[in-house]
Amino acid sequence: MKKRENIQKLRDLAEIRIGYPFRGRIHFDQAGAIPVIQLRNFDEDYELGTSSLLCVKQLSDAEHHTLRAGDVLYASKGERNFAFTVSREIEGAVPASYFFVIHPRTPVVLSEYLAWYINQLAARTFLRSQAKRGTYMPVIPKSVFETLPVPVPPLATQRAIVELDGLCRREKALSKKLEERKSKLIAS
């Protein structure tokens, strides 16, 4: 007999909140201590360039919006929707309001697995099919995002998936570096 797959709604697995609601233009300050994460800080492979983070001096209610290691960011607006796991390196940063912050509230799911799953075709298809058309770009409403069905395999399987995904991303980065070096060698 085949074991039934455990599928849960994202809202049952995690707390989901919206990034910091900056009003108008963000006023950055070189002396600021609070890094702000924006879409422009991510490269085409959805890797965060921490050296490009600009800071602000202070924010009201910043504690409520401050990221913790293990949180997952999801870019909910625009054509590039993706999930990213927050590392210790960027703990304390504040994301802009077009990000959802996902914080697992149960030990049955890993943050890294949630980010991986949200980036998979099945999840992206579900979310895009429910997207609303904003003034200039598509928007995934929080009410839709919370209903994303997430298969929850055993933790050992989640760890294996996350490890394999990390190896695939490393392979991609090494292949890219190899191609760049080949091109440089041929050009010289």
Side-chain angles (χ1 to χ4, degrees):
M1 185 192 308
K2 190 175 178 179
K3 189 176 177 183
R4 195 180 141 160
E5 194 172 7
N6 180 12
I7 298 177
Q8 296 186 40
K9 300 248 186 259
L10 184 56
R11 69 173 162 240
D12 297 329
L13 297 169
E15 167 195 344
I16 303 164
R17 61 186 196 276
I18 296 172
Y20 191 84
F22 289 96
R23 301 290 178 228
R25 189 167 183 253
I26 303 172
H27 299 285
F28 295 108
D29 188 327
Q30 288 182 340
I34 304 169
V36 177
I37 298 177
Q38 302 176 81
L39 283 174
R40 72 177 86 178
N41 301 123
F42 289 88
D43 66 16
E44 65 277 353
D45 295 321
Y46 308 118
E47 295 295 326
L48 179 65
T50 56
S51 62
S52 67
L53 295 181
L54 299 174
C55 296
V56 293
K57 227 175 196 154
Q58 64 183 33
L59 297 171
S60 61
D61 197 25
E63 315 80 51
H64 178 70
H65 297 280
T66 300
L67 295 174
R68 299 175 276 182
D71 285 345
V72 175
L73 288 181
Y74 177 73
S76 65
K77 293 182 179 154
E79 299 294 334
R80 285 181 43 168
N81 306 112
F82 62 94
F84 173 83
T85 308
V86 173
S87 65
R88 291 216 183 282
E89 184 181 21
I90 58 170
E91 201 169 39
V94 172
S97 63
Y98 42 76
F99 286 105
F100 292 141
V101 179
I102 306 141
H103 183 76
R105 63 171 98 162
T106 173
V108 302
V109 68
L110 301 173
S111 305
E112 297 86 353
Y113 171 78
L114 278 178
W116 171 83
Y117 181 74
I118 292 167
N119 287 327
Q120 298 309 298
L121 182 59
R124 288 192 339 254
T125 302
F126 172 84
L127 293 169
R128 286 191 181 143
S129 73
Q130 305 291 317
K132 305 291 183 222
R133 199 74 189 145
T135 307
Y136 301 105
M137 64 184 90
V139 176
I140 309 293
K142 184 177 176 222
S143 59
V144 167
F145 189 66
E146 292 173 327
T147 65
L148 175 68
V150 179
V152 184
L155 284 172
T157 304
Q158 291 180 47
R159 285 187 192 97
I161 288 169
V162 168
E163 182 180 354
L164 182 59
D165 181 56
L167 291 171
C168 288
R169 283 188 283 115
R170 181 159 163 66
E171 177 187 33
K172 186 177 178 181
L174 289 171
S175 294
K176 185 177 179 180
K177 191 181 269 187
L178 179 64
E179 283 303 314
E180 289 169 358
R181 289 194 176 169
K182 278 183 187 178
S183 296
K184 198 177 208 180
L185 183 64
I186 291 169
S188 57

